[in-house]
Amino acid sequence: MPSISYLFKRLMNMNYKNFFDRVNTVSKKANKSKFCTFCDMVWCGMRYGAGYVDYDVIGFYKLNTAQRKTMLTRGINNKFVKRLNEKEYWHIFDNKNEFNQTFSKFISRDWIYPISERKAETLEFFKKHNVIFAKPNNGQCGKGIEKINVSEWKVEELYNHLIDNKLELLEEPIKQHEDMNKLNPSSVNTTRMVTVMNENGDVTILATFSRIGNGKVVDNFNSGGMTAKVDRDTGVIIEEAVNKLGEVYEKHPISQTTIKGFQIPCWKEARAMVIEAAKLSPHVRYVGWDVAMTVDGPTLVEGNQFPGHDIYQVAEKMEEEQLGVLPEFEKAIRK
């Protein structure tokens, strides 16, 4: 059960309009009265640390008591982050340039930062790469990223545009593996691989999910993308994809590729890579790695020291005997 202090902070900072909008939405999906939905939502927040978004996205209204106890909710996730990730080291993951430097062994693409202090080198970067991705150094959920065709700009205008919009980090595009293009060609479709390190330095891959774009240049679950569970051992997608609205996709709406049963390439190499990367981060022991499969093998896109927990467990297609990831999480920490 969440602490009193956590519940108090949630009550003080809650967006009550969004809360009651969510009550209305869920009551329709669950075919239950708004009053019953409200009461159960409040109970799940108090008992399991499930926020109202958790209640909807994870699907608490569909779960029995045994399943609810196994869900990694917002409240529980926050506790694990606080316990496992030392805040004074978060900057390595928050700052994209620091991340690229720290984990450069696992990053195969060209990048430059900060362009405001390296104008001449930036102009050379424009000459080397006709297409670039421009990113805010501390952006999240794919927000603020621009895909730019350099040939469509005058060089000085492009440079000034990037400076004016605080897009200080430039990267060359990732050349996605042809198999991943078959799944969805509109974006690089990354795989979220969540690792946990115990006090002995043993690393466990806790969860693996494919993050699939849907018409945008990013694949983020919180920016219109979808997610599908991947078998941790084989790299095969084992469920249909679902987006944050709970819409289920058997086939990708753009490529028409069947999602369940799709084999993600380079899987053995990707597993080994994130385990090795995790060991470079002994002070941040709970990380969500975003991995892209390229023509030359897996590469890190970014790491998240405060991994979003909602994509781990989406109950739209969960059967009665299926459980959440919390028991496995606790086991991995104890090893």
Side-chain angles (χ1 to χ4, degrees), residues 13-41:
N13 297 316
M14 184 182 295
N15 184 320
Y16 284 94
K17 180 183 182 304
N18 288 349
F19 171 75
F20 285 108
D21 285 345
R22 192 73 65 156
V23 169
N24 292 336
T25 299
V26 175
S27 68
K28 293 176 183 177
K29 290 202 290 188
N31 197 26
K32 295 180 181 178
S33 71
K34 294 179 183 179
F35 178 75
C36 289
T37 300
F38 169 83
C39 292
D40 194 43
M41 197 177 283

Side-chain angles (χ1 to χ4, degrees), residues 18-268:
N18 288 349
F19 171 75
F20 285 108
D21 285 345
R22 192 73 65 156
V23 169
N24 292 336
T25 299
V26 175
S27 68
K28 293 176 183 177
K29 290 202 290 188
N31 197 26
K32 295 180 181 178
S33 71
K34 294 179 183 179
F35 178 75
C36 289
T37 300
F38 169 83
C39 292
D40 194 43
M41 197 177 283
V42 171
W43 164 248
C44 287
M46 296 175 62
R47 177 64 182 86
Y48 306 109
Y52 59 83
V53 177
D54 283 348
Y55 189 89
D56 183 9
V57 173
I58 295 177
F60 265 78
Y61 57 92
K62 293 187 173 186
L63 303 179
N64 58 41
T65 300
Q67 290 174 311
R68 287 179 171 188
K69 289 179 180 178
T70 68
M71 292 296 158
L72 181 62
T73 62
R74 175 175 176 169
I76 297 172
N77 191 62
N78 289 356
K79 280 186 177 181
F80 280 129
V81 170
K82 185 176 181 180
R83 173 182 168 186
L84 299 172
N85 296 347
E86 299 176 38
K87 198 164 187 177
E88 56 266 39
Y89 293 92
W90 286 16
H91 60 88
I92 297 171
F93 294 86
D94 286 334
N95 184 297
K96 287 182 170 58
N97 181 56
E98 279 193 71
F99 179 85
N100 285 3
Q101 291 178 329
T102 302
F103 301 101
S104 59
K105 179 180 179 179
F106 314 109
I107 296 174
S108 57
R109 61 196 176 278
D110 191 13
W111 86 88
I112 183 170
Y113 174 90
I115 67 168
S116 58
E117 298 175 13
R118 304 170 68 182
K119 182 174 181 179
E121 293 172 76
T122 301
L123 300 186
E124 286 300 314
F125 195 89
F126 292 162
K127 293 179 182 179
K128 289 170 62 179
H129 306 291
N130 186 51
V131 177
I132 60 175
F133 280 91
K135 302 179 178 182
N137 195 36
N138 295 295
Q140 296 180 333
C141 298
K143 294 178 180 177
I145 296 175
E146 292 188 19
K147 181 179 181 180
I148 296 172
N149 189 324
V150 176
S151 64
E152 295 177 353
W153 291 77
K154 292 182 179 179
V155 172
E156 287 292 334
E157 289 180 0
L158 175 55
Y159 181 78
N160 292 334
H161 167 78
L162 297 174
I163 295 298
D164 291 343
N165 289 278
K166 296 182 172 57
L167 298 172
E168 289 274 3
L169 175 67
L170 305 185
E171 294 183 348
E172 72 167 317
I174 292 171
K175 297 179 178 66
Q176 182 166 241
H177 193 286
E178 61 180 10
D179 287 351
M180 299 306 291
N181 279 329
K182 293 175 184 176
L183 182 60
N184 168 52
S186 71
S187 69
V188 173
N189 307 289
T190 60
T191 300
R192 170 65 60 88
M193 306 182 78
V194 182
T195 60
V196 178
M197 182 192 294
N198 67 14
E199 293 181 354
N200 296 322
D202 301 319
V203 177
T204 298
I205 298 176
L206 176 71
T208 50
F209 283 81
S210 182
R211 291 148 43 97
I212 309 167
N214 190 10
K216 294 184 178 181
V217 297
V218 295
D219 62 353
N220 301 72
F221 190 56
N222 291 304
S223 297
M226 58 187 77
T227 182
K229 189 174 183 180
V230 177
D231 184 277
R232 287 173 290 178
D233 297 321
T234 66
V236 174
I237 297 178
I238 55 178
E239 292 180 353
E240 291 83 359
V242 62
N243 65 16
K244 198 160 187 176
L245 298 176
E247 297 167 336
V248 177
Y249 295 85
E250 293 184 2
K251 294 185 176 183
H252 193 279
I254 295 174
S255 69
Q256 293 301 303
T257 297
T258 300
I259 294 170
K260 184 177 180 180
F262 183 90
Q263 174 68 60
I264 296 176
C266 314
W267 192 252
K268 181 179 179 181

Side-chain angles (χ1 to χ4, degrees), residues 263-279:
Q263 174 68 60
I264 296 176
C266 314
W267 192 252
K268 181 179 179 181
E269 296 86 348
R271 282 179 53 88
M273 182 183 69
V274 296
I275 290 173
E276 188 177 353
K279 291 180 179 179

Side-chain angles (χ1 to χ4, degrees), residues 254-324:
I254 295 174
S255 69
Q256 293 301 303
T257 297
T258 300
I259 294 170
K260 184 177 180 180
F262 183 90
Q263 174 68 60
I264 296 176
C266 314
W267 192 252
K268 181 179 179 181
E269 296 86 348
R271 282 179 53 88
M273 182 183 69
V274 296
I275 290 173
E276 188 177 353
K279 291 180 179 179
L280 293 179
S281 177
H283 300 285
V284 181
R285 297 192 284 130
Y286 169 32
V287 180
W289 307 95
D290 291 336
V291 179
M293 308 305 177
T294 78
V295 294
D296 298 315
T299 184
L300 291 182
V301 176
E302 65 179 25
N304 300 271
Q305 89 294 339
F306 208 120
H309 62 284
D310 49 5
I311 69 170
Y312 303 170
Q313 313 134 117
V314 179
E316 288 298 324
K317 301 185 74 64
M318 185 173 282
E319 305 295 337
E320 287 188 7
E321 69 276 8
Q322 290 180 290
L323 303 176

